[in-house]
Amino acid sequence: MEASLERREHYLNVSYGIKSWLLTTDHKRIALLYLATITLFFFVGGAFAVLMRLELITPKGDLVSAETYNKLFTMHGVMMIFFFLSPSVPATLGNFLVPMMIGARDLAFPRINLLSWYVFIFGGVLGLGAAAMGGVDTGWTFYTPYSSTYSNSAVVLTAVGAFFAGFSSILTGLNFIVTIHKMRAPGLQWFRLPLFIWAHYATSLIMILGTPVVAIAIVLVALERLFRIGIFDPNLGGDPVLFQHLFWFYSHPAVYIMILPAMGVISEIVACFSRRRVFGYRFVAFASLSIAVIGFLVWGHHMFVSGQSIYAGMVFSFLSFLVAVPSAVKVFNWMATMYKGAISYHTPMLYAFGFLGLFTVGGLTGLFLATLAVDVHVHDTYFIVAHFHYIMVGGTVMAYMGGIHFWWPKITGRLYPEAWGRFSALIVFLGFNLTFFPQFLLGYLGMPRRYHAYPEEFQVLNVMSSAGASILGIGYLIPMIYLIWSMRYGKPAGDNPWRATGLEWQTSSPPPTENFEETPLVTAPPYAYAKEEEEATVVH
Amino acid sequence: MSTSTNPVLPAHHFDDLQQQHEAAQLGMWVFLITEIMFFGGLFAAYTVYRSSYHQAFGAASRHLDITLGTFNTVVLIGSSLTMALAVHAAQRGRRRAIIGFLIATILLGAVFLGVKAFEYTHKFHEHLVPGHGFQFPDAALARPAELYFGLYFAMTGMHALHMIIGIGILLVMIRLAARGRFSAEHYSPIEVTGLYWHFVDIVWIFLFPLLYLIERHQ
Amino acid sequence: MNQPGHIVPLRVYFTIFGALMVFTALTVWVAYHDLGNFNIVAAMTIAVAKATLVVLYFMHVRYASRLIWVVVSAGLVWLVILLSLTMSDYLTRFAAV
């Protein structure tokens, strides 16, 4: 049964005009505001990456100067981490789906939700302004004393921009926590919640507990630059490594902010396209919480060679092994979910498969890095760069793309062209591996990161990586085109084109402003796919 | 449900006032957790440096005026009392008492800030503000002493900023109370304002001994 | 908490205020006595006691739901994680910072 989009009122057509968007408190519209904004930042960050990969085609530093290259990798990191990856799933899919999945009419604090977007925009403007004013050259990690004393670039502007992006995430996390605790529909007990919700709850815990610490670290760097209040100044007996402690206390858990929501997406997709409930539901739910908690205890693994005590390093190394366990549990459980399932290879599922393989590689290489003695050799090499790109791009971005495709019909009421979707997913997968696998080899062979020139013998691998990057870029551009095209010309989707479980699929596509005609009453466990499959086999 | 002459309905996305009230409470507490971690970073820096430079920190601490510090502590705890009394009045629906106690809280907060401004000015004249003009009597301890004063200004400055924001919120609450927006059935904005104000008081409860009382016995 | 929530009697507020004044005087008094390493322990114990009174009575946590207790505890635990793991570096470096 297809919904008639033109006649029925829903959240997109209930009001028109720019004010109805810029002053909206509807979580679904705010999600789309975020979607547009982070896409912009993705392309800005991507542009910096393009310049970097162009430079690295040749061993000599001939495209840009070393100082400019420093600014390129800094701005690439800042844009991607603070302004794209961190908000990617939570601020778009999370904002759209959290209230719907729990049967609520909106988040607990709709106006704070809108405020979070404006705070994010403000931070983004500062970041872009810093780029326009010549950029920053400290690395996205802002290590002192270079950032606090010696750098002549727009450090304060960029750092304050990151501060506001972080504050925006605090507001989002706060909203999610209160919403999930207080606004679940009748009958929706904790263990009936979709794993997407568990994932976002765990993510919100990290946002709340970690972000403030990097915020104060940024404030102290700004105070040192602006007012010469030298907290990290070695001349006064200050310790630059203290900055690293405060910075990584957040920035390690931040990577779990980036991966946990993506894992939530994967749970939903794998269940739907295997027609099976997620294997070991409680294990996956508790694994999300475990990752959030243990993730706070490992930050020193970024500081093995910084001058940190070797004994603290050993403790951090051991704990870093521990944090891999819940992630592995999830991967096993997703595999088990697919076992004897009726698997279909729609675009979201292709991205999910990509995620499973690439996240596993990224995660396993994390174990190499947790091994203190190995990290001493590969720290600050391309091995690290490959590791985190496998997780951030091979993991998070793949899941993000999968999620965008999976819920696109719900968000827009339209279907995207499936053939183009599958094609792009394959291009992304191929381009990604060609870009980043050579980087593992480069790092192992000793090529350092953050250098614009390198010894001749590394050129072949670098050329492969740059070639892969161009393919990857095409893989991201094509969905931009067909997704926008589908908003106007895509086939009407109907309420539930995937025949998925979950409250969001029980309402129309696009949903009405209040999400549901009536507040749902939940009596069944999540992922009730088994009965459907029985009916399907009977038909066959 | 509400029998007051000003019935208050919950916002459209809440089912009832109870849910709205609980959400506001939980929301403010979650926010206060972020504040614990925000100040926590400063306390971490303090802990690291005090453990390394105990002698310099002690010497530097003695340059703070303990009388003013103690006075300010009493004033701020007093303002917490008046804030609690304001919430109490709100629970009873007593409009004039709410406004009175909120004003008292603001006045005490302003006294605190006035004393701090005086202290800061004094530090400036004593050349104890970090930066170019910093001069510490005991040259051997001068550098870590500058670290101490860096933390002093960062921590008390951040605390003062939170108080200024708090006073702003209190002014808004006075305005709303004057318009009769609160009743015994609906007073959660006053309550969560109180939570924020008490938190700012608690930060000072730790700042006072850590900054003013390091080695007074010499 | 319910609406109207638990209303704390006025005399409780004044009693707590009195206790806070006593603790403030105590912490100043202790600071003028040389107790060596115990000075910081005493100062922090008194500060924690004061903070506890404010949290339990002024902030009504004594009468609040279990969820609020968990939230408050989580904040404290995380602060302890930050302080202790950071200090685990500095206390084991065996070198002057």
Side-chain angles (χ1 to χ4, degrees):
Chain A
M1 193 171 67
E2 289 181 357
S4 170
L5 295 168
E6 288 71 32
R7 272 179 277 146
R8 188 174 51 81
E9 185 184 274
H10 50 74
Y11 80 100
L12 288 169
N13 64 16
V14 67
S15 55
Y16 289 104
I18 198 154
K19 264 177 72 172
S20 77
W21 280 89
L22 293 182
L23 295 177
T24 183
T25 54
D26 181 354
H27 66 101
K28 300 182 288 300
R29 286 195 170 200
I30 294 173
L32 292 184
L33 290 175
Y34 267 108
L35 178 61
T37 327
I38 66 164
T39 306
L40 170 74
F41 288 122
F42 178 67
F43 281 107
V44 172
F48 288 119
V50 165
L51 291 170
M52 287 165 68
R53 287 303 338 159
L54 279 175
E55 169 65 271
L56 292 173
I57 292 175
T58 57
K60 284 199 176 57
D62 41 21
L63 187 67
V64 296
S65 67
E67 288 74 24
T68 303
Y69 189 80
N70 294 347
K71 295 178 178 181
L72 291 179
F73 66 69
T74 303
M75 296 311 291
H76 170 69
V78 167
M79 283 289 143
M80 287 307 199
I81 291 178
F82 292 116
F83 296 102
F84 172 66
L85 279 167
S86 296
S88 61
V89 175
T92 58
L93 297 172
N95 261 327
F96 197 97
L97 295 166
V98 166
M100 297 194 71
M101 285 183 170
I102 65 172
R105 290 186 285 287
D106 208 307
L107 289 174
F109 307 116
R111 287 174 299 182
I112 290 186
N113 198 14
L114 183 65
L115 175 68
S116 82
W117 182 69
Y118 278 107
V119 170
F120 178 71
I121 292 286
F122 183 67
V125 165
L126 292 181
L128 290 173
M133 282 176 54
V136 173
D137 62 354
T138 59
W140 80 275
T141 43
F142 293 114
Y143 277 9
T144 58
Y146 185 63
S147 64
S148 50
T149 309
Y150 300 104
S151 172
N152 282 324
S153 58
V155 174
V156 173
L157 207 52
T158 311
V160 172
F163 177 95
F164 282 105
F167 191 60
S168 166
S169 75
I170 285 177
L171 295 175
T172 298
L174 188 156
N175 229 335
F176 284 172
I177 289 176
V178 177
T179 303
I180 294 170
H181 271 284
K182 294 293 178 186
M183 296 175 70
R184 283 168 283 133
L188 196 45
Q189 306 151 1
W190 280 90
F191 291 116
R192 288 182 175 164
L193 288 168
L195 289 165
F196 183 92
I197 298 288
W198 279 99
H200 280 76
Y201 184 78
T203 305
S204 302
L205 294 178
I206 306 176
M207 287 168 167
I208 293 298
L209 293 165
T211 316
V213 179
V214 76
I216 196 67
I218 289 172
V219 166
L220 289 175
V221 168
L223 288 179
E224 195 159 335
R225 275 186 84 80
L226 297 174
F227 304 117
R228 294 255 308 172
I229 297 182
I231 304 290
F232 306 116
D233 187 353
N235 290 322
L236 300 179
D239 187 11
V241 175
L242 176 62
F243 171 83
Q244 294 188 32
H245 277 297
L246 297 178
F247 177 83
W248 286 113
F249 181 87
Y250 163 74
S251 297
H252 185 81
V255 313
Y256 300 114
I257 290 178
M258 296 186 257
I259 199 66
L260 277 171
M263 289 172 157
V265 170
I266 297 299
S267 286
E268 302 302 315
I269 291 178
V270 168
C272 177
F273 292 97
S274 309
R275 314 307 299 167
R276 297 235 311 149
R277 88 270 178 279
V278 176
F279 182 87
Y281 168 93
R282 287 197 186 209
F283 275 90
V284 178
F286 284 122
S288 294
L289 294 178
S290 308
I291 291 171
V293 172
I294 305 176
F296 272 99
L297 306 177
V298 303
W299 79 81
H301 67 227
H302 297 269
M303 298 163 61
F304 285 146
V305 298
S306 66
Q308 176 180 260
S309 145
I310 190 75
Y311 300 100
M314 289 188 227
V315 170
F316 281 121
S317 171
F318 173 75
L319 290 166
S320 301
F321 283 110
L322 208 54
V323 79
V325 173
S327 291
V329 165
K330 287 193 174 195
V331 173
F332 290 134
N333 283 14
W334 288 320
M335 309 288 278
T337 304
M338 293 191 284
Y339 180 66
K340 290 204 176 165
I343 301 187
S344 56
Y345 297 90
H346 292 90
T347 305
M349 192 58 165
L350 291 183
Y351 280 112
F353 275 118
F355 175 97
L356 286 172
L358 300 177
F359 172 75
T360 301
V361 170
L364 288 176
T365 52
L367 292 174
F368 295 5
L369 303 175
T371 313
L372 211 163
V374 173
D375 185 73
V376 168
H377 290 281
V378 296
H379 179 76
D380 266 350
T381 69
Y382 264 86
F383 196 92
I384 306 272
V385 175
H387 159 73
F388 64 69
H389 281 94
Y390 261 79
I391 311 223
M392 293 294 112
V393 183
T396 301
V397 180
M398 294 287 262
Y400 173 71
M401 296 293 280
I404 292 288
H405 284 79
F406 184 55
W407 281 289
W408 191 255
K410 179 56 56 184
I411 295 172
T412 61
R414 306 271 184 178
L415 295 174
Y416 59 85
E418 182 60 40
W420 280 105
R422 292 179 181 175
F423 176 68
S424 308
L426 285 172
I427 300 278
V428 164
F429 185 79
L430 291 170
F432 173 85
N433 280 300
L434 187 58
T435 310
F436 292 108
F437 196 82
Q439 293 185 6
F440 276 125
L441 302 174
L442 280 168
Y444 180 73
L445 291 170
M447 178 176 172
R449 65 187 285 204
R450 295 178 168 174
Y451 274 67
H452 76 140
Y454 54 83
E456 291 245 354
E457 62 255 37
F458 295 140
Q459 182 168 24
V460 173
L461 289 169
N462 269 294
V463 169
M464 285 172 68
S465 181
S466 295
S470 55
I471 298 173
L472 187 60
I474 292 170
Y476 289 135
L477 273 174
I478 300 177
M480 278 283 303
I481 300 170
Y482 67 68
L483 285 175
I484 293 174
W485 174 91
S486 78
M487 290 201 289
R488 183 82 190 270
Y489 301 107
K491 281 206 297 214
D495 292 2
N496 193 353
W498 307 119
R499 291 181 302 122
T501 64
L503 290 177
E504 76 272 24
W505 298 106
Q506 312 307 321
T507 188
S508 45
S509 309
T513 302
E514 298 278 298
N515 295 337
F516 301 94
E517 301 288 326
E518 279 178 24
T519 304
L521 169 67
V522 178
T523 51
Y527 312 115
Y529 287 106
K531 287 190 186 137
E532 269 203 53
E533 198 190 322
E534 281 164 24
E535 286 159 24
T537 50
V538 165
V539 167
H540 284 128
Chain B
M1 186 176 72
S2 164
T3 56
S4 73
T5 51
N6 237 336
V8 180
L9 293 171
H12 77 101
H13 53 287
F14 286 118
D15 297 329
D16 51 53
L17 275 180
Q18 171 81 356
Q19 190 188 42
Q20 181 174 280
H21 178 235
E22 287 178 15
Q25 279 263 303
L26 180 59
M28 177 52 77
W29 270 112
V30 171
F31 177 70
L32 291 181
I33 299 305
T34 71
E35 294 278 53
I36 291 178
M37 297 309 293
F38 188 66
F39 281 97
L42 287 170
F43 283 107
Y46 174 93
T47 307
V48 167
Y49 288 139
R50 177 166 165 179
S51 69
S52 302
Y53 301 118
H54 194 268
Q55 200 190 358
F57 268 47
S61 165
R62 282 192 288 282
H63 283 261
L64 296 184
D65 187 327
I66 195 173
T67 311
L68 290 179
T70 310
F71 172 75
N72 255 0
T73 306
V74 169
V75 162
L76 199 56
I77 295 178
S79 78
S80 254
L81 175 64
T82 54
M83 186 71 233
L85 294 173
V87 176
H88 188 264
Q91 288 175 311
R92 288 255 143 85
R94 296 195 184 129
R95 193 169 67 111
R96 297 211 349 227
I98 298 174
I99 296 175
F101 284 122
L102 289 178
I103 292 177
T105 308
I106 291 180
L107 287 176
L108 290 168
V111 166
F112 180 96
L113 290 172
V115 169
K116 279 246 66 71
F118 175 79
E119 282 182 288
Y120 276 16
T121 317
H122 200 239
K123 289 289 155 291
F124 181 73
H125 290 309
E126 286 179 304
H127 300 285
L128 291 175
V129 176
H132 284 293
F134 185 84
Q135 275 172 32
F136 194 70
D138 186 345
L141 301 174
R143 287 179 174 174
E146 192 170 349
L147 278 179
Y148 167 88
F149 279 104
L151 282 170
Y152 168 78
F153 282 104
M155 294 172 94
T156 59
M158 190 55 71
H159 177 260
L161 176 64
H162 280 76
M163 280 196 62
I164 293 170
I165 292 171
I167 289 177
I169 297 173
L170 285 166
L171 287 169
V172 170
M173 290 299 129
I174 288 178
R175 187 133 177 244
L176 292 175
R179 290 179 170 183
R181 290 277 285 270
F182 302 122
S183 65
E185 285 77 31
H186 172 64
Y187 59 88
S188 49
I190 305 261
E191 193 169 17
V192 301
T193 302
L195 290 178
Y196 177 84
W197 191 261
H198 293 308
F199 173 79
V200 176
D201 183 23
I202 289 175
V203 173
W204 182 260
I205 284 173
F206 284 93
L207 288 184
F208 174 58
L210 289 175
L211 293 172
Y212 287 80
L213 303 180
I214 298 183
E215 259 179 19
R216 286 284 161 180
H217 48 81
Q218 288 186 1
Chain C
M1 281 181 64
N2 295 314
Q3 188 100 270
H6 183 278
I7 300 185
V8 177
L10 282 177
R11 67 171 185 284
V12 171
Y13 286 140
F14 288 109
T15 311
I16 298 298
F17 177 75
L20 290 168
M21 292 297 105
V22 167
F23 278 128
T24 304
L26 182 63
T27 200
V28 175
W29 181 82
V30 168
Y32 280 102
H33 294 75
D34 186 357
L35 305 172
N37 284 335
F38 191 71
N39 270 108
I40 181 67
V41 176
M44 284 301 101
T45 307
I46 295 171
V48 167
K50 289 165 79 175
T52 306
L53 289 177
V54 174
V55 167
L56 288 179
Y57 292 99
F58 282 175
M59 298 172 89
H60 302 161
V61 171
R62 171 120 194 274
Y63 314 102
S65 64
R66 209 172 64 123
L67 176 60
I68 300 290
W69 279 89
V70 169
V71 171
V72 177
S73 310
L76 297 175
V77 167
W78 253 256
L79 178 61
V80 167
I81 291 174
L82 172 63
L83 293 174
S84 56
L85 274 180
T86 303
M87 286 309 290
S88 81
D89 173 20
Y90 290 93
L91 292 176
T92 57
R93 276 194 196 175
F94 302 141
V97 169

